[in-house]
Amino acid sequence: MRNLADFADANLRIFKRSPPEPNTRDIYLIGICGTGMGALAGLLKEAGYAVRGSDSNVYPPMSTFLETQGIPVQNGYTKGNLVPTPDLVITGNACTPTHVEAAAAREQSLPQFSLPEALHHFFLLKRRSLVVAGTHGKTTTTGLLIHLLCSAGRDPGFLVGGVLQELGKSYSIGTGPQFVVEGDEYDSAYFDKRPKFMHYAPQVAIVTSIEFDHADIYASWDEYQEAFVAFADLVPTDGLLVVCGDDPAAARLSSPAPVLTYGLSDKHDVVGRITEATEDGVRFNLVHCGLDLGPMFLPMNGHHNLRNALAASTVALHEGLTVDEIARGLASFRGVKRRQEVLGKPGGILVVDDFAHHPTAVRATIQAASERWPSHRILAVFEPRSNSSRRKIFEIPYGGAFKGADVAYLCSPSFRHNDAPEQFMSIDMVLDRIRKSGTEAHAFASVPHLLESLIQEVRSDDVILIMSNGGFGGLHQDLLEYLSTHYGD
């Protein structure tokens, strides 16, 4: 098992770095077009810093967003991009030690930060840090908590890994005492292999679930759990740790802080008692430490989203929101982009986008779609794209993840330079297991071939559920364009 204490200061031991000077003004970001890095760039710009950066993938929507913020972006990496010399370099975690700009920064002895270090240094030191962690559900839970605080007039600062529909953005400095962060367990940078969430100094923390993921950086289930054990230990005695009691691994966590569990069973501290589930969402009673706080409505489907709402509501109560404020906030939540987002309904065919890529998330997303549209066929379209999702270890879990879909369409993962053949997923094995679970399944070597087959199969009243943590080769746009042309808007 990896011992976090053994490499807590590995960044200082291996890559000597100096902290930024107090008068730091000019900040350069390597990999600025990543979702998190782009949002951090926006935060820094909003805070009054001169911000610029570079990336090898400069294209919309992030390139357009950065342009509208007045943030210069260099397309491609070169030593020359560091002229004039910045006061601080922030290095994305996709950057390697041999990266031309990272190497140039070290050669010039420029201060370097990882994204989480920078977030802590510039935005969390004087704020009340509320951190949402977990394998599944952390983006939606973070979005719910932000929305509850905003709708109650609290104006928190925040950084979340998705665009909030209500606010149209994924970050804000805010003026209130709270700063809400989505806490990722992925590593911080090439010079700091600690999980990102270890930098966020949570006063209050949520852990939504713990299930093995990121097999590209965690060697075992024990090692993965160890990261969350260390995270829970960060919460101080005057703080609060909120964990999903329905998730066995999360429920086992302890902390110096008081711990509250939430879930759908009456044995937990915070419970959601479902009274009605419809296509529009779920009605439930919120029970907190044995006290029924009354009826609530969440305009989302799926037990996993109800659990997310319970977690956010628990922290909102702890932060002083009233029951009425929470009820109004939940009912007005419009969701997060790419989380069960309806993109269109041309010709009566619903096209839904979701970020799901882990087997458990795929299964929960399909189940939620089946609950929301029970009389419709579900065509589940999936791209195993992330470094972890393309690994052999998930062949069996994916086999059962598509139960509830009528047809599954998979795009075969491409073999990358850093893939180990013995660890790479066999798409044929996955298809065989999906079919044995009772779901028709097909795989395609390319997005155009998948699209061609999909449009031959689809019919009016179908739900096409597209799941990927990336752009899926433009499938969403191409599908909507075809359906609009042939079926009408």
Side-chain angles (χ1 to χ4, degrees), residues 380-396:
V381 185
F382 176 60
E383 176 189 31
R385 176 181 174 274
S386 71
N387 286 334
S388 186
S389 68
R390 297 176 302 112
R391 293 193 169 225
K392 184 173 289 293
I393 192 171
F394 291 122
E395 285 177 357
I396 294 176

mmCIF file with all atom_site columns, all heavy atoms in Angstrom, residues 380-396:
data_model
loop_
_atom_site.group_PDB
_atom_site.id
_atom_site.type_symbol
_atom_site.label_atom_id
_atom_site.label_alt_id
_atom_site.label_comp_id
_atom_site.label_asym_id
_atom_site.label_entity_id
_atom_site.label_seq_id
_atom_site.pdbx_PDB_ins_code
_atom_site.Cartn_x
_atom_site.Cartn_y
_atom_site.Cartn_z
_atom_site.occupancy
_atom_site.B_iso_or_equiv
_atom_site.pdbx_formal_charge
_atom_site.auth_seq_id
_atom_site.auth_comp_id
_atom_site.auth_asym_id
_atom_site.auth_atom_id
_atom_site.pdbx_PDB_model_num
ATOM 1   N N   . ALA A 1 380 ? -28.207 2.848   -25.051 1.00 0.00 ? 380 ALA A N   1
ATOM 2   C CA  . ALA A 1 380 ? -27.071 3.331   -24.274 1.00 0.00 ? 380 ALA A CA  1
ATOM 3   C C   . ALA A 1 380 ? -25.816 3.329   -25.142 1.00 0.00 ? 380 ALA A C   1
ATOM 4   O O   . ALA A 1 380 ? -25.407 2.288   -25.657 1.00 0.00 ? 380 ALA A O   1
ATOM 5   C CB  . ALA A 1 380 ? -26.861 2.449   -23.047 1.00 0.00 ? 380 ALA A CB  1
ATOM 6   N N   . VAL A 1 381 ? -25.215 4.512   -25.298 1.00 0.00 ? 381 VAL A N   1
ATOM 7   C CA  . VAL A 1 381 ? -24.047 4.680   -26.161 1.00 0.00 ? 381 VAL A CA  1
ATOM 8   C C   . VAL A 1 381 ? -22.868 5.081   -25.281 1.00 0.00 ? 381 VAL A C   1
ATOM 9   O O   . VAL A 1 381 ? -22.921 6.093   -24.576 1.00 0.00 ? 381 VAL A O   1
ATOM 10  C CB  . VAL A 1 381 ? -24.317 5.760   -27.233 1.00 0.00 ? 381 VAL A CB  1
ATOM 11  C CG1 . VAL A 1 381 ? -23.142 5.849   -28.203 1.00 0.00 ? 381 VAL A CG1 1
ATOM 12  C CG2 . VAL A 1 381 ? -25.617 5.470   -27.974 1.00 0.00 ? 381 VAL A CG2 1
ATOM 13  N N   . PHE A 1 382 ? -21.799 4.293   -25.318 1.00 0.00 ? 382 PHE A N   1
ATOM 14  C CA  . PHE A 1 382 ? -20.720 4.472   -24.342 1.00 0.00 ? 382 PHE A CA  1
ATOM 15  C C   . PHE A 1 382 ? -19.352 4.471   -24.999 1.00 0.00 ? 382 PHE A C   1
ATOM 16  O O   . PHE A 1 382 ? -19.061 3.679   -25.888 1.00 0.00 ? 382 PHE A O   1
ATOM 17  C CB  . PHE A 1 382 ? -20.786 3.356   -23.296 1.00 0.00 ? 382 PHE A CB  1
ATOM 18  C CG  . PHE A 1 382 ? -19.661 3.388   -22.301 1.00 0.00 ? 382 PHE A CG  1
ATOM 19  C CD1 . PHE A 1 382 ? -19.466 4.486   -21.486 1.00 0.00 ? 382 PHE A CD1 1
ATOM 20  C CD2 . PHE A 1 382 ? -18.794 2.312   -22.187 1.00 0.00 ? 382 PHE A CD2 1
ATOM 21  C CE1 . PHE A 1 382 ? -18.424 4.520   -20.561 1.00 0.00 ? 382 PHE A CE1 1
ATOM 22  C CE2 . PHE A 1 382 ? -17.752 2.327   -21.260 1.00 0.00 ? 382 PHE A CE2 1
ATOM 23  C CZ  . PHE A 1 382 ? -17.569 3.437   -20.454 1.00 0.00 ? 382 PHE A CZ  1
ATOM 24  N N   . GLU A 1 383 ? -18.502 5.378   -24.498 1.00 0.00 ? 383 GLU A N   1
ATOM 25  C CA  . GLU A 1 383 ? -17.113 5.469   -24.946 1.00 0.00 ? 383 GLU A CA  1
ATOM 26  C C   . GLU A 1 383 ? -16.190 5.241   -23.746 1.00 0.00 ? 383 GLU A C   1
ATOM 27  O O   . GLU A 1 383 ? -16.085 6.108   -22.873 1.00 0.00 ? 383 GLU A O   1
ATOM 28  C CB  . GLU A 1 383 ? -16.833 6.850   -25.537 1.00 0.00 ? 383 GLU A CB  1
ATOM 29  C CG  . GLU A 1 383 ? -15.383 7.056   -25.937 1.00 0.00 ? 383 GLU A CG  1
ATOM 30  C CD  . GLU A 1 383 ? -15.060 8.492   -26.324 1.00 0.00 ? 383 GLU A CD  1
ATOM 31  O OE1 . GLU A 1 383 ? -15.686 9.422   -25.767 1.00 0.00 ? 383 GLU A OE1 1
ATOM 32  O OE2 . GLU A 1 383 ? -14.169 8.676   -27.175 1.00 0.00 ? 383 GLU A OE2 1
ATOM 33  N N   . PRO A 1 384 ? -15.511 4.090   -23.658 1.00 0.00 ? 384 PRO A N   1
ATOM 34  C CA  . PRO A 1 384 ? -14.509 3.901   -22.603 1.00 0.00 ? 384 PRO A CA  1
ATOM 35  C C   . PRO A 1 384 ? -13.244 4.673   -22.978 1.00 0.00 ? 384 PRO A C   1
ATOM 36  O O   . PRO A 1 384 ? -12.395 4.186   -23.715 1.00 0.00 ? 384 PRO A O   1
ATOM 37  C CB  . PRO A 1 384 ? -14.271 2.391   -22.592 1.00 0.00 ? 384 PRO A CB  1
ATOM 38  C CG  . PRO A 1 384 ? -14.673 1.924   -23.952 1.00 0.00 ? 384 PRO A CG  1
ATOM 39  C CD  . PRO A 1 384 ? -15.669 2.891   -24.489 1.00 0.00 ? 384 PRO A CD  1
ATOM 40  N N   . ARG A 1 385 ? -13.126 5.880   -22.446 1.00 0.00 ? 385 ARG A N   1
ATOM 41  C CA  . ARG A 1 385 ? -12.109 6.817   -22.915 1.00 0.00 ? 385 ARG A CA  1
ATOM 42  C C   . ARG A 1 385 ? -10.998 7.089   -21.908 1.00 0.00 ? 385 ARG A C   1
ATOM 43  O O   . ARG A 1 385 ? -9.842  7.275   -22.285 1.00 0.00 ? 385 ARG A O   1
ATOM 44  C CB  . ARG A 1 385 ? -12.789 8.140   -23.287 1.00 0.00 ? 385 ARG A CB  1
ATOM 45  C CG  . ARG A 1 385 ? -11.851 9.259   -23.716 1.00 0.00 ? 385 ARG A CG  1
ATOM 46  C CD  . ARG A 1 385 ? -12.630 10.528  -24.035 1.00 0.00 ? 385 ARG A CD  1
ATOM 47  N NE  . ARG A 1 385 ? -11.739 11.647  -24.307 1.00 0.00 ? 385 ARG A NE  1
ATOM 48  C CZ  . ARG A 1 385 ? -11.229 12.443  -23.382 1.00 0.00 ? 385 ARG A CZ  1
ATOM 49  N NH1 . ARG A 1 385 ? -11.531 12.236  -22.102 1.00 0.00 ? 385 ARG A NH1 1
ATOM 50  N NH2 . ARG A 1 385 ? -10.430 13.446  -23.710 1.00 0.00 ? 385 ARG A NH2 1
ATOM 51  N N   . SER A 1 386 ? -11.339 7.134   -20.617 1.00 0.00 ? 386 SER A N   1
ATOM 52  C CA  . SER A 1 386 ? -10.335 7.505   -19.616 1.00 0.00 ? 386 SER A CA  1
ATOM 53  C C   . SER A 1 386 ? -9.269  6.419   -19.486 1.00 0.00 ? 386 SER A C   1
ATOM 54  O O   . SER A 1 386 ? -9.473  5.264   -19.878 1.00 0.00 ? 386 SER A O   1
ATOM 55  C CB  . SER A 1 386 ? -11.002 7.737   -18.252 1.00 0.00 ? 386 SER A CB  1
ATOM 56  O OG  . SER A 1 386 ? -11.447 6.508   -17.707 1.00 0.00 ? 386 SER A OG  1
ATOM 57  N N   . ASN A 1 387 ? -8.133  6.795   -18.916 1.00 0.00 ? 387 ASN A N   1
ATOM 58  C CA  . ASN A 1 387 ? -7.043  5.834   -18.740 1.00 0.00 ? 387 ASN A CA  1
ATOM 59  C C   . ASN A 1 387 ? -7.492  4.624   -17.932 1.00 0.00 ? 387 ASN A C   1
ATOM 60  O O   . ASN A 1 387 ? -7.076  3.497   -18.181 1.00 0.00 ? 387 ASN A O   1
ATOM 61  C CB  . ASN A 1 387 ? -5.864  6.512   -18.032 1.00 0.00 ? 387 ASN A CB  1
ATOM 62  C CG  . ASN A 1 387 ? -5.110  7.452   -18.948 1.00 0.00 ? 387 ASN A CG  1
ATOM 63  O OD1 . ASN A 1 387 ? -5.123  7.285   -20.157 1.00 0.00 ? 387 ASN A OD1 1
ATOM 64  N ND2 . ASN A 1 387 ? -4.465  8.455   -18.371 1.00 0.00 ? 387 ASN A ND2 1
ATOM 65  N N   . SER A 1 388 ? -8.357  4.869   -16.953 1.00 0.00 ? 388 SER A N   1
ATOM 66  C CA  . SER A 1 388 ? -8.807  3.793   -16.085 1.00 0.00 ? 388 SER A CA  1
ATOM 67  C C   . SER A 1 388 ? -9.903  2.949   -16.732 1.00 0.00 ? 388 SER A C   1
ATOM 68  O O   . SER A 1 388 ? -9.897  1.724   -16.638 1.00 0.00 ? 388 SER A O   1
ATOM 69  C CB  . SER A 1 388 ? -9.318  4.377   -14.766 1.00 0.00 ? 388 SER A CB  1
ATOM 70  O OG  . SER A 1 388 ? -9.637  3.354   -13.853 1.00 0.00 ? 388 SER A OG  1
ATOM 71  N N   . SER A 1 389 ? -10.857 3.587   -17.419 1.00 0.00 ? 389 SER A N   1
ATOM 72  C CA  . SER A 1 389 ? -12.026 2.873   -17.934 1.00 0.00 ? 389 SER A CA  1
ATOM 73  C C   . SER A 1 389 ? -11.679 1.891   -19.048 1.00 0.00 ? 389 SER A C   1
ATOM 74  O O   . SER A 1 389 ? -12.463 0.991   -19.353 1.00 0.00 ? 389 SER A O   1
ATOM 75  C CB  . SER A 1 389 ? -13.072 3.874   -18.450 1.00 0.00 ? 389 SER A CB  1
ATOM 76  O OG  . SER A 1 389 ? -12.615 4.546   -19.610 1.00 0.00 ? 389 SER A OG  1
ATOM 77  N N   . ARG A 1 390 ? -10.496 2.004   -19.661 1.00 0.00 ? 390 ARG A N   1
ATOM 78  C CA  . ARG A 1 390 ? -10.109 1.131   -20.763 1.00 0.00 ? 390 ARG A CA  1
ATOM 79  C C   . ARG A 1 390 ? -9.322  -0.089  -20.279 1.00 0.00 ? 390 ARG A C   1
ATOM 80  O O   . ARG A 1 390 ? -8.797  -0.849  -21.077 1.00 0.00 ? 390 ARG A O   1
ATOM 81  C CB  . ARG A 1 390 ? -9.272  1.922   -21.779 1.00 0.00 ? 390 ARG A CB  1
ATOM 82  C CG  . ARG A 1 390 ? -10.047 3.055   -22.432 1.00 0.00 ? 390 ARG A CG  1
ATOM 83  C CD  . ARG A 1 390 ? -9.206  3.914   -23.371 1.00 0.00 ? 390 ARG A CD  1
ATOM 84  N NE  . ARG A 1 390 ? -8.062  4.502   -22.682 1.00 0.00 ? 390 ARG A NE  1
ATOM 85  C CZ  . ARG A 1 390 ? -6.803  4.176   -22.921 1.00 0.00 ? 390 ARG A CZ  1
ATOM 86  N NH1 . ARG A 1 390 ? -6.517  3.290   -23.841 1.00 0.00 ? 390 ARG A NH1 1
ATOM 87  N NH2 . ARG A 1 390 ? -5.828  4.753   -22.260 1.00 0.00 ? 390 ARG A NH2 1
ATOM 88  N N   . ARG A 1 391 ? -9.288  -0.291  -18.957 1.00 0.00 ? 391 ARG A N   1
ATOM 89  C CA  . ARG A 1 391 ? -8.451  -1.356  -18.412 1.00 0.00 ? 391 ARG A CA  1
ATOM 90  C C   . ARG A 1 391 ? -9.224  -2.654  -18.197 1.00 0.00 ? 391 ARG A C   1
ATOM 91  O O   . ARG A 1 391 ? -10.430 -2.658  -17.938 1.00 0.00 ? 391 ARG A O   1
ATOM 92  C CB  . ARG A 1 391 ? -7.813  -0.905  -17.099 1.00 0.00 ? 391 ARG A CB  1
ATOM 93  C CG  . ARG A 1 391 ? -6.816  0.230   -17.359 1.00 0.00 ? 391 ARG A CG  1
ATOM 94  C CD  . ARG A 1 391 ? -5.937  0.487   -16.174 1.00 0.00 ? 391 ARG A CD  1
ATOM 95  N NE  . ARG A 1 391 ? -4.849  1.388   -16.566 1.00 0.00 ? 391 ARG A NE  1
ATOM 96  C CZ  . ARG A 1 391 ? -3.579  1.218   -16.238 1.00 0.00 ? 391 ARG A CZ  1
ATOM 97  N NH1 . ARG A 1 391 ? -3.229  0.180   -15.515 1.00 0.00 ? 391 ARG A NH1 1
ATOM 98  N NH2 . ARG A 1 391 ? -2.658  2.070   -16.632 1.00 0.00 ? 391 ARG A NH2 1
ATOM 99  N N   . LYS A 1 392 ? -8.486  -3.752  -18.280 1.00 0.00 ? 392 LYS A N   1
ATOM 100 C CA  . LYS A 1 392 ? -9.059  -5.097  -18.175 1.00 0.00 ? 392 LYS A CA  1
ATOM 101 C C   . LYS A 1 392 ? -9.799  -5.310  -16.864 1.00 0.00 ? 392 LYS A C   1
ATOM 102 O O   . LYS A 1 392 ? -10.786 -6.054  -16.809 1.00 0.00 ? 392 LYS A O   1
ATOM 103 C CB  . LYS A 1 392 ? -7.942  -6.129  -18.337 1.00 0.00 ? 392 LYS A CB  1
ATOM 104 C CG  . LYS A 1 392 ? -8.411  -7.575  -18.335 1.00 0.00 ? 392 LYS A CG  1
ATOM 105 C CD  . LYS A 1 392 ? -7.279  -8.522  -18.658 1.00 0.00 ? 392 LYS A CD  1
ATOM 106 C CE  . LYS A 1 392 ? -6.879  -8.419  -20.128 1.00 0.00 ? 392 LYS A CE  1
ATOM 107 N NZ  . LYS A 1 392 ? -7.955  -8.902  -21.034 1.00 0.00 ? 392 LYS A NZ  1
ATOM 108 N N   . ILE A 1 393 ? -9.367  -4.623  -15.817 1.00 0.00 ? 393 ILE A N   1
ATOM 109 C CA  . ILE A 1 393 ? -9.957  -4.825  -14.503 1.00 0.00 ? 393 ILE A CA  1
ATOM 110 C C   . ILE A 1 393 ? -11.456 -4.506  -14.485 1.00 0.00 ? 393 ILE A C   1
ATOM 111 O O   . ILE A 1 393 ? -12.207 -4.996  -13.645 1.00 0.00 ? 393 ILE A O   1
ATOM 112 C CB  . ILE A 1 393 ? -9.213  -3.974  -13.443 1.00 0.00 ? 393 ILE A CB  1
ATOM 113 C CG1 . ILE A 1 393 ? -9.620  -4.394  -12.042 1.00 0.00 ? 393 ILE A CG1 1
ATOM 114 C CG2 . ILE A 1 393 ? -9.461  -2.491  -13.663 1.00 0.00 ? 393 ILE A CG2 1
ATOM 115 C CD1 . ILE A 1 393 ? -8.776  -3.757  -10.956 1.00 0.00 ? 393 ILE A CD1 1
ATOM 116 N N   . PHE A 1 394 ? -11.923 -3.703  -15.464 1.00 0.00 ? 394 PHE A N   1
ATOM 117 C CA  . PHE A 1 394 ? -13.330 -3.315  -15.494 1.00 0.00 ? 394 PHE A CA  1
ATOM 118 C C   . PHE A 1 394 ? -14.159 -4.108  -16.497 1.00 0.00 ? 394 PHE A C   1
ATOM 119 O O   . PHE A 1 394 ? -15.340 -3.810  -16.706 1.00 0.00 ? 394 PHE A O   1
ATOM 120 C CB  . PHE A 1 394 ? -13.451 -1.822  -15.793 1.00 0.00 ? 394 PHE A CB  1
ATOM 121 C CG  . PHE A 1 394 ? -12.952 -0.946  -14.672 1.00 0.00 ? 394 PHE A CG  1
ATOM 122 C CD1 . PHE A 1 394 ? -11.938 -0.025  -14.886 1.00 0.00 ? 394 PHE A CD1 1
ATOM 123 C CD2 . PHE A 1 394 ? -13.483 -1.055  -13.402 1.00 0.00 ? 394 PHE A CD2 1
ATOM 124 C CE1 . PHE A 1 394 ? -11.471 0.770   -13.855 1.00 0.00 ? 394 PHE A CE1 1
ATOM 125 C CE2 . PHE A 1 394 ? -13.024 -0.260  -12.362 1.00 0.00 ? 394 PHE A CE2 1
ATOM 126 C CZ  . PHE A 1 394 ? -12.018 0.652   -12.584 1.00 0.00 ? 394 PHE A CZ  1
ATOM 127 N N   . GLU A 1 395 ? -13.573 -5.123  -17.129 1.00 0.00 ? 395 GLU A N   1
ATOM 128 C CA  . GLU A 1 395 ? -14.337 -5.920  -18.105 1.00 0.00 ? 395 GLU A CA  1
ATOM 129 C C   . GLU A 1 395 ? -15.578 -6.547  -17.476 1.00 0.00 ? 395 GLU A C   1
ATOM 130 O O   . GLU A 1 395 ? -16.680 -6.470  -18.026 1.00 0.00 ? 395 GLU A O   1
ATOM 131 C CB  . GLU A 1 395 ? -13.444 -7.015  -18.696 1.00 0.00 ? 395 GLU A CB  1
ATOM 132 C CG  . GLU A 1 395 ? -12.432 -6.527  -19.698 1.00 0.00 ? 395 GLU A CG  1
ATOM 133 C CD  . GLU A 1 395 ? -11.529 -7.643  -20.194 1.00 0.00 ? 395 GLU A CD  1
ATOM 134 O OE1 . GLU A 1 395 ? -11.655 -8.800  -19.710 1.00 0.00 ? 395 GLU A OE1 1
ATOM 135 O OE2 . GLU A 1 395 ? -10.678 -7.369  -21.061 1.00 0.00 ? 395 GLU A OE2 1
ATOM 136 N N   . ILE A 1 396 ? -15.417 -7.180  -16.332 1.00 0.00 ? 396 ILE A N   1
ATOM 137 C CA  . ILE A 1 396 ? -16.555 -7.843  -15.678 1.00 0.00 ? 396 ILE A CA  1
ATOM 138 C C   . ILE A 1 396 ? -17.577 -6.813  -15.182 1.00 0.00 ? 396 ILE A C   1
ATOM 139 O O   . ILE A 1 396 ? -18.780 -6.965  -15.443 1.00 0.00 ? 396 ILE A O   1
ATOM 140 C CB  . ILE A 1 396 ? -16.069 -8.750  -14.543 1.00 0.00 ? 396 ILE A CB  1
ATOM 141 C CG1 . ILE A 1 396 ? -15.259 -9.918  -15.117 1.00 0.00 ? 396 ILE A CG1 1
ATOM 142 C CG2 . ILE A 1 396 ? -17.248 -9.275  -13.721 1.00 0.00 ? 396 ILE A CG2 1
ATOM 143 C CD1 . ILE A 1 396 ? -14.644 -10.822 -14.063 1.00 0.00 ? 396 ILE A CD1 1
#
